[in-house]
Amino acid sequence: MRKLICVLLAATVLLAACSSTASQVALAPAPEPTTRVPADGPADESAAQPDRSSATASPTAQPTPTTQPFIPDTSDGRPFLELNLEEKIDEFLVNSNTTFAANVAAEMGQTGQRHWVPWLLDILRIGGANYVARASMRALQTLTGVESSQDPSTDYVIYGSWSRSNDIHPGAGYETWKRTLYGKIVDGQYDRLLGQVSDPVTLAAIQWGGVRRGGIPELNNPERLTPAQADFMTPEELVLGFVIGGEAGVYPVRFLARHELANDVVGGVPVVLGYCTLCLTALMFDRRLPNGDVLTFQTSGLLMDSNKIMIDNETESLWNHLSGTAFAGPLAGTRLEQYPIATARWSDWLADHPGTFTLATPLPTYFPETPERQSIAYDYTPGAAYRSYYSSEDLWFPTFETPEVFALKEEVVTVDRGEHALALGLAALSGEDPFVYVLGAEPLVIVPNPGGARVYSAADVDGIPAVPWRHGAAVEVALGGVGHDELRVNGVDGRNRIDVRLPRIVSSQSFWFAWYGLHPDTEIWPPVDRG
């Protein structure tokens, strides 16, 4: 049975504490969780990925019976069961405990009103007891008409994806609900940060990822090595390569899979590389704003559609990692400039960029401002991070319901050209020669490489007619002509002998579910019947 993600949290919002007078479980804000961290997830012991290896109870197990049900006192002394639903919600937010949570969940389900679905998902996420989970799952089944799996972690993804795909509006009062519950997490920052989110549907889509802000420590100006110094790196391991301002560099995936974010300066340009382990996407952005200010970024600890939300330290705006766009806070609407990045084998990158830099193995992370927090040291063995997640077909968090043209976690090479988007199956690209894909009216040249692909634009090439760039045409690349920033082409379609250099455009890679969530109208290669 898949382990519980929604109920038995390593860093739960509400810490269960047993009453000395009855078998009731009271819930209160957690000062510091103590459960073990899984070996393949984040290693911040104080706020880490839920422990999926130590579930102690079945989601269908019955609570220990008592001679008389225990109902906690309300703040004003009125009997809780005599309150209406809105009053019960208010009381639960003041006096959070599992008894109130289960009762509120059950009554929400009895209303038949679907706007309660996001509220129930929050209860399921942070409820902290089996009978709370069961009450939430029964209510969600009633309201959605979708049969419960009887497993809280599975239902959390199923019903969360249903809510997202059906654009469920949570109705009046949800902002107070969400901010109050999330404000109980660790240091209380989420109350303030979520107060910046103006759209209730977006607010409902935001989920806590199980770590505090900065709980996955970012790399800041990481130490660099020459290739000769990096004798620990293996030829076949994957790296994230880039050339900015004439300077070539790589971040080993083994490091970014643990730290997920790096603030750096490359070629004189302040940049941030965000790596979402849940959606397997690495993106490089310019940290400069149009007015010249430079931002520094952290992992917020929040997710949306199983994708990381970044936060900048200067304005505390919240940023969609996949688009590089701030969606809440003072910088809402701002979009960062993006740079091309290549996923490649270390040996291949080194052969093309012998003067590249790479990174030294990061040192353990310490927290001098909060000495009670344990230091963080990771296992940087290639492939060690999130091994259990990548070996499973299941998701850990909700997203949009996704068509099955690819598997949810199948890797795709992606291109966003504004009005048109493209997803190319990475597995199908393996062994393919360079070819033309006409996206909209723009001919693109796709150049596969082990681990990924690079994409170049053949639009507006001086002196070259558009005819050779027909869709699907084979492209003859000049010897040594595959560069990070440009491609030298000798011929197209076997008939047109040309000598031209094409500029590279920004492309990326991700799991299929993540790309579709942001680009539901994307084109697909290889072509499939999406009917």
Side-chain angles (χ1 to χ4, degrees):
M1 182 187 70
R2 194 152 63 93
K3 305 301 187 292
L4 307 184
I5 182 175
C6 308
V7 180
L8 304 175
L9 296 175
T12 186
V13 180
L14 305 173
L15 178 66
C18 294
S19 168
S20 60
T21 58
S23 62
Q24 171 262 347
V25 179
L27 300 175
E32 200 70 43
T34 57
T35 47
R36 183 177 62 81
V37 178
D40 65 340
D44 179 356
E45 187 169 316
S46 62
Q49 196 70 27
D51 184 353
R52 297 170 181 80
S53 61
S54 60
T56 57
S58 164
T60 57
Q62 299 297 317
T64 303
T66 58
T67 54
Q68 291 185 355
F70 179 85
I71 305 297
D73 293 332
T74 59
S75 56
D76 62 4
R78 290 188 297 164
F80 180 77
L81 296 181
E82 294 182 7
L83 305 179
N84 62 37
L85 178 55
E86 286 71 23
E87 291 171 332
K88 288 180 178 178
I89 290 171
D90 291 341
E91 187 62 38
F92 170 65
L93 294 179
V94 173
N95 182 10
S96 301
N97 61 77
T98 56
T99 300
F100 289 177
N103 188 278
V104 166
E107 193 160 334
M108 286 177 173
Q110 293 168 5
T111 66
Q113 299 172 356
R114 288 184 166 184
H115 78 271
W116 293 120
V117 169
W119 306 60
L120 287 161
L121 288 166
D122 292 334
I123 296 176
L124 184 59
R125 176 72 174 115
I126 65 176
N130 276 334
Y131 63 90
V132 177
R134 291 199 304 277
S136 302
M137 292 187 292
R138 283 194 295 267
L140 287 165
Q141 176 174 280
T142 298
L143 295 181
T144 65
V146 178
E147 186 175 357
S148 169
S149 70
Q150 302 304 312
D151 175 69
S153 56
T154 301
D155 275 9
Y156 175 61
V157 174
I158 290 174
Y159 293 123
S161 299
W162 181 94
S163 180
R164 190 73 169 126
S165 299
N166 286 277
D167 201 31
I168 299 298
H169 193 293
Y174 184 73
E175 178 183 0
T176 299
W177 165 271
K178 188 90 167 197
R179 290 182 61 183
T180 301
L181 289 183
Y182 274 49
K184 300 176 185 294
I185 296 176
V186 189
D187 52 17
Q189 289 192 49
Y190 292 140
D191 181 6
R192 181 181 76 255
L193 297 179
L194 292 181
Q196 304 177 113
V197 182
S198 58
D199 176 42
V201 176
T202 299
L203 185 62
I206 293 174
Q207 305 293 329
W208 182 45
V211 298
R212 69 173 83 198
R213 172 179 173 176
I216 300 175
E218 72 280 3
L219 298 174
N220 292 303
N221 300 309
E223 181 185 355
R224 298 178 178 181
L225 298 178
T226 65
Q229 293 171 321
D231 55 2
F232 58 87
M233 295 187 65
T234 64
E236 298 298 313
E237 73 172 277
L238 293 180
V239 296
L240 307 170
F242 42 85
V243 179
I244 300 175
E247 184 175 24
V250 296
Y251 294 158
V253 168
R254 63 163 87 184
F255 298 157
L256 268 296
R258 292 300 191 184
H259 291 273
E260 298 196 1
L261 194 148
N263 295 293
D264 206 347
V265 177
V266 180
V269 179
V271 294
V272 58
L273 187 143
Y275 186 77
C276 177
T277 50
L278 293 172
C279 57
L280 206 65
T281 307
L283 302 170
M284 179 76 85
F285 300 104
D286 193 324
R287 292 191 281 127
R288 295 172 297 188
L289 297 175
N291 65 3
D293 290 346
V294 178
L295 304 176
T296 57
F297 288 87
Q298 283 188 310
T299 294
S300 69
L302 300 171
L303 303 169
M304 185 161 59
D305 303 325
S306 198
N307 169 52
K308 72 185 290 104
I309 295 174
M310 304 188 300
I311 184 170
D312 71 79
N313 294 318
E314 287 69 27
T315 74
E316 295 195 320
S317 297
L318 300 177
W319 298 76
N320 183 309
H321 161 255
L322 286 178
S323 67
T325 304
F327 66 89
L331 296 178
T334 302
R335 185 163 188 166
L336 302 173
E337 180 183 354
Q338 187 176 347
Y339 293 101
I341 190 168
T343 301
R345 297 182 303 193
W346 168 236
S347 57
D348 294 332
W349 180 266
L350 185 58
D352 292 337
H353 305 87
T356 189
F357 72 80
T358 185
L359 299 187
T361 301
L363 298 174
T365 302
Y366 298 91
F367 303 92
E369 297 83 6
T370 52
E372 71 278 6
R373 293 180 66 183
Q374 294 187 12
S375 62
I376 301 174
Y378 291 105
D379 175 5
Y380 291 116
T381 304
Y386 289 83
R387 183 181 288 115
S388 64
Y389 178 69
Y390 296 139
S391 63
S392 166
E393 297 179 357
D394 298 329
L395 301 183
W396 285 353
F397 294 93
T399 184
F400 286 96
E401 294 174 350
T402 307
E404 297 179 358
V405 294
F406 298 114
L408 283 174
K409 292 182 183 175
E410 184 167 347
E411 289 186 66
V412 292
V413 174
T414 60
V415 180
D416 182 355
R417 300 300 278 171
E419 294 183 359
H420 300 278
L422 172 64
L424 304 108
L426 182 60
L429 285 173
S430 178
E432 286 285 325
D433 294 325
F435 64 95
V436 175
Y437 189 102
V438 179
L439 183 62
E442 181 180 18
L444 306 176
V445 176
I446 314 298
V447 182
N449 63 267
R454 299 177 186 182
V455 182
Y456 304 82
S457 177
D460 302 322
V461 178
D462 292 339
I464 305 298
V467 175
W469 308 105
R470 68 174 182 82
H471 190 74
V475 176
E476 180 184 331
V477 176
L479 182 64
V482 181
H484 186 81
D485 295 320
E486 67 176 15
L487 176 75
R488 184 179 176 187
V489 174
N490 280 347
V492 181
D493 204 20
R495 298 188 299 269
N496 301 280
R497 307 311 302 173
I498 59 177
D499 183 358
V500 65
R501 296 179 185 272
L502 306 180
R504 187 177 178 192
I505 64 172
V506 173
S507 59
S508 59
Q509 292 176 214
S510 73
F511 283 146
W512 164 236
F513 79 82
W515 179 253
Y516 177 81
L518 204 61
H519 302 86
D521 296 323
T522 187
E523 295 186 25
I524 301 296
W525 183 93
V528 295
D529 181 7
R530 301 177 66 180

